[in-house]
Amino acid sequence: MTEGTGKPKANRASRASGAGKATKTAKTAKAKPIEVREGEPGDWREETLARMRAMILKADPEMVEERKWKKPSNGMAGVPVWSHNGIVCTGETYKAVVKLTFAKGADIPDPSRLFNSSLEGNTRRAIDIREGEAVDEGAFQALVRAAVALNGPPAKKAKPVKLLSGGNPQIAKADGDAPVQAYIAAMPGWKRDTGALLDALIVRTVPNVSKAVKWNSPLYGIEGQGWFLGVHVFTRYVKVAFFRGTSLQPVPPGASKSNDTRYLDIHEGDELDEAQFAAWVKQAAALPGWVP
């Protein structure tokens, strides 16, 4: 903080290759580290910004990068901006923090509570990172993907998702993360944050997880092994199905007509035991999955 002003003093942002030009990263391209400013080798702020940049590009390899708003306060280097059908987030370095600001952060589920700044507004949300602090990569990448999904397709307004019986979103059958994020974004009320939390915990526990939406339910599995978990929305709860649940320790509480499946029902106000859920996910991912 600058004495007498109460406002953080912005430092000149580091120059990335191709500064001032929009560049679209190819799916196979690796993120290039943001250059450290001359005279300040190893500056923690520049290293932190470079690390967060790599996470952003890993979450969405088609992200567009550019620098905007060049002015004396940032050494005419501009502010790093990441966009995909609209601005996703910006990155700025200050004396005490590195700030990642999400343009539509107020509308993005944040079950891991990474947003810790700009919380009073109706649109933006920010993450302030101080020296020595680490950011959960899985949770941060989930925010990036949710922000991209919120921006929607270019030049075409997405139709509202139809909610089926019990409020379950109707999402077309498809493989990959995108349909799962669309399902989560369409989950009504408190269930959306629950869906985002479950997704973040699964990705954090099983980084190589495969995803799909089938039969209007997100499925999680391991390629070549089948599906180990599914999610479905009901009127009063979110149901998590462990397809080999009877082989887990301890066995998830909900019984099923299937000899193998066990359920976990999450109601509004329930406090999810994240450690136990992650333990179940880890066990389930190691077992042969369900193959329809």
Side-chain angles (χ1 to χ4, degrees):
M1 304 290 285
T2 304
E3 293 184 6
T5 65
K7 296 181 179 179
K9 182 179 180 181
N11 290 312
R12 178 168 61 88
S14 61
R15 298 181 183 274
S17 59
K21 297 180 180 179
T23 57
K24 190 170 184 178
T25 307
K27 290 186 177 181
T28 57
K30 293 183 178 180
K32 296 180 180 179
I34 291 179
E35 296 175 5
V36 177
R37 295 172 295 177
E38 292 184 8
E40 295 187 37
D43 184 281
W44 71 268
R45 291 163 295 188
E46 303 304 313
E47 293 175 351
T48 299
L49 187 58
R51 185 171 68 252
M52 302 311 295
R53 173 182 183 263
M55 291 185 193
I56 291 169
L57 298 183
K58 184 178 179 181
D60 182 9
E62 295 186 1
M63 191 75 72
V64 174
E65 297 182 280
E66 56 188 329
R67 286 183 178 271
K68 295 184 176 182
W69 311 302
K70 296 182 180 181
K71 51 189 177 181
S73 62
N74 57 42
M76 303 305 293
V79 175
V81 179
W82 292 276
S83 304
H84 190 147
N85 299 330
I87 293 177
V88 171
C89 66
T90 62
E92 298 171 273
T93 57
Y94 293 89
K95 183 176 181 179
V97 300
V98 171
K99 181 183 290 289
L100 279 298
T101 301
F102 283 72
K104 300 178 182 177
D107 294 321
I108 299 173
D110 180 28
S112 297
R113 298 182 180 179
L114 295 186
F115 292 137
N116 58 9
S117 182
S118 302
L119 302 178
E120 66 282 356
N122 295 324
T123 305
R124 295 182 296 174
R125 292 289 184 270
I127 303 171
D128 284 353
I129 309 169
R130 291 169 173 78
E131 186 174 9
E133 292 182 343
V135 176
D136 185 295
E137 181 172 354
F140 179 76
Q141 290 180 340
L143 287 182
V144 172
R145 289 191 290 266
V148 171
L150 185 62
N151 282 346
K156 184 178 179 180
K157 188 174 182 180
K159 295 181 180 179
V161 174
K162 180 180 179 180
L163 297 181
L164 303 174
S165 176
N168 191 57
Q170 184 180 45
I171 302 294
K173 183 185 297 185
D175 294 324
D177 181 67
V180 173
Q181 296 306 320
Y183 179 98
I184 292 171
M187 294 172 75
W190 63 270
K191 301 180 183 76
R192 184 174 67 160
D193 282 348
T194 298
L197 175 59
L198 295 173
D199 183 75
L201 290 172
I202 293 167
V203 171
R204 184 189 310 168
T205 306
V206 187
N208 63 328
V209 67
S210 295
K211 302 182 186 181
V213 170
K214 299 179 185 292
W215 307 288
N216 298 306
S217 293
L219 299 179
Y220 298 82
I222 301 296
E223 187 173 358
Q225 290 184 205
W227 307 106
F228 62 80
L229 183 150
V231 176
H232 198 87
V233 167
F234 289 87
T235 303
R236 293 185 174 85
Y237 57 92
V238 174
K239 181 179 287 293
V240 179
F242 290 94
F243 300 124
R244 295 290 181 261
T246 55
S247 299
L248 306 182
Q249 294 295 329
V251 174
S256 167
K257 294 180 180 179
S258 166
N259 292 330
D260 297 320
T261 302
R262 297 288 291 188
Y263 296 125
L264 173 66
D265 293 342
I266 305 172
H267 296 78
E268 184 174 11
D270 285 353
E271 184 174 349
L272 179 66
D273 186 337
E274 296 185 15
Q276 180 60 77
F277 181 79
W280 279 330
V281 168
K282 185 176 181 179
Q283 293 177 58
L287 296 171
W290 171 57
V291 180

